[in-house]
Amino acid sequence: MKKKVIIIGSGFSSLSASCYLANEGYDVEIFEKNATIGGRARQLKKDGFTFDIGPTWYWMPDVFERFFADFNTTPQEFYELIKLSPAYKVYFSKEESITIGDTLDKIYAAFEEIEKGSSKKLKKFIDKAKDNYDIAIKDLVYRPGVSPIELITPKTATKLNQFFSTIAKEVRREFKNEKLIQVLEFPVLFLGAKPSDTPAFYSFMNFADFGLGTWHPKGGMYQVILGLEKLAKNLGVKIHLNASAEKILVNDKNEATRIISEGKEYLADIVLSGADYHHTETLLHQKHRQYSENYWDKKTFAPSSLLFYVAFDKKIKNVEHHTLFFDVDFKAHAKAIYDTAQWPEEPLFYASFPSKTDHNIAPDGKEAAIFLIPLAPGLKDDASLRERYFEKIITRFEKITDQNVSDYVIFKESFCVNDFVKEYNSYKGNAYGLANTLFQTAFLRPKLKSKKVNNLYFTGQLTVPGPGVPPALISGKLVAELIKKHNQ
C-alpha cells in the first residue's frame, strides 16, 4: 500500500517536493489555505492587466532545467521563456544610469564607460564567481544541511577564506567606483542580507546575474507555477484549495499521523510543510516544537516589502522591463532594514514593467507596473503609510524618468507586512525568508526533518538551501530525498 504524504502549502518548494514524492510512488495530497496555488507566487488579474504578486525575476535557468529533466521533460514543455535584452537598468540619478545587457561583452562595455579599466577587473571577478557557481549550484546546494561535513570537499577547501570574507569586502577590493559597487552588490540582496554580512563565496550570484542572464516566462512567473501544477497532477498529486491546516496531530509514538484542515481530520504517514516554518510549529503542541520564540526572534530575516501593482493608461518611457532606482543612500536604507528596523526616510526601490516584454500583460497602449520597496520585517503597516511611500517613489520616478505618470493611474493595489502575515502566515511579515548569512548557511539553518516528531518534515525558504525561487525548487528535491531515505 502506498504511503500517504500530506503537504501543507503549495509554493515552489511544496510543488517541487510533491512531484518528486509522487514520482517515487507516494500518495501525495497538498493542502493550500488560499483560493489559488503558488504560495507567494500568485497572480493578480484585473481589467485586462496581469501582475505577478510575488517573484518577478527568473534567474538560474539551469536549475529549472535540472528540475524538469528529473521528470524527463523540459521547461519549454510547460511555458515559453524570453531572454530579456537588456536584462535591467539601474538609475543613480536622472543623468546617470547603467544598462545591464544580455551578454557579458555588453556588460563589460557598460562598466568600461563608467570607469576606465573596470572591464578587466570585472572579467576576473566573474571568472571567480563562475567557479563558485559551479561548486555551489551544481553541487553544494543539493545537499540536505544535515551535517557540516557536507561543506567539506576538495573544491570548497580552496574556498575557505571566502566564507570568512564578505561580498562587500571582495567587491571593494577590486572596484572603487561607488556605482559599480552597487551594481555588483545588488544580486546578493536576493539572499536577504547586507553585502557586508554575506559571505564572499556567494559571489556566484553575480555569475547568475551577468553570466546566465535574466529571463521572463511569457504570461508571467505564475506560468512556472502552473507548469509545476500540471506536472504534479500528471504524477497523481491531489490539491485542495481553501484548505488551511489548523493542527498537526502527533500520536503516543511521537509520530505525525494527521492534520486538521477546515475542521476535518486527514490521515497521513508523513506530514511535510512548505508553509512558514515558524507558523507550522505553532500547529504542534508546545512540547513538539523544535525552536523557541527566542530562537526565531534572534535570527536575521530577509526583508519584507511594500509592493504596488499599478495599471497605467499610457506606455511608460525611459524604463526597461526591470528597472532599479539607486538614486538615494544605499547604506541608510540598509540600516533601516537590518539595524534599526524602521521605515526608511528615502527608500531605494525596484520597478518592473512586464508589459514591455509581454504584450498579453496589459491592454494595448497601457502599462502594467510593479513597484517594490524593501522593508524591515515586523514594521507597523497601515494605509496612510503605504500611500505616503507611494507618493515618495512616484515623485522620484517622475523626476528621474522625466515624465508624468501620476495622472495616468487607472488603479493600484498594494501588498505589505500585514498582507504577508495574513496571506502566508509569514513570520513578522517577511517576504523572502531567512537571510543567508555565515551563521545561517547550510547545516546552520532550520532542519528539513523535525528533531522532535517522527515523520514530520519541512521545506522552503526558512530551511535549506535558502531564499529565492531556484533554491525553493531545490529544497523540494532535498526533502523528498530525505523522506525516501528515512521511509524505505
Side-chain angles (χ1 to χ4, degrees), residues 94-160:
K94 183 176 180 178
E95 295 77 23
E96 297 176 292
S97 65
I98 185 171
T99 298
I100 302 301
D102 61 339
T103 67
L104 279 169
D105 285 342
K106 290 178 184 177
I107 299 168
Y108 295 147
F111 267 56
E112 196 68 22
E113 280 185 24
I114 290 178
E115 181 182 305
K116 192 169 178 58
S118 62
S119 61
K120 290 182 180 178
K121 295 177 183 177
L122 182 59
K123 285 177 184 177
K124 177 183 172 185
F125 185 84
I126 292 298
D127 284 345
K128 185 185 288 188
K130 182 184 184 302
D131 194 36
N132 287 351
Y133 189 92
D134 288 341
I135 294 170
I137 305 303
K138 295 180 181 179
D139 183 13
L140 286 187
V141 294
Y142 286 92
R143 301 185 182 202
V146 173
S147 163
I149 295 172
E150 293 172 7
L151 297 178
I152 302 170
T153 71
K155 289 182 178 179
T156 57
T158 67
K159 304 284 184 178
L160 193 61

Side-chain angles (χ1 to χ4, degrees), residues 330-358:
F330 174 86
K331 289 180 181 177
H333 191 162
K335 183 178 180 183
I337 295 174
Y338 297 104
D339 301 333
T340 59
Q342 62 186 22
W343 283 81
E345 271 304 310
E346 293 296 337
L348 289 82
F349 66 96
Y350 151 67
S352 176
F353 302 90
S355 45
K356 290 209 163 288
T357 301
D358 193 337

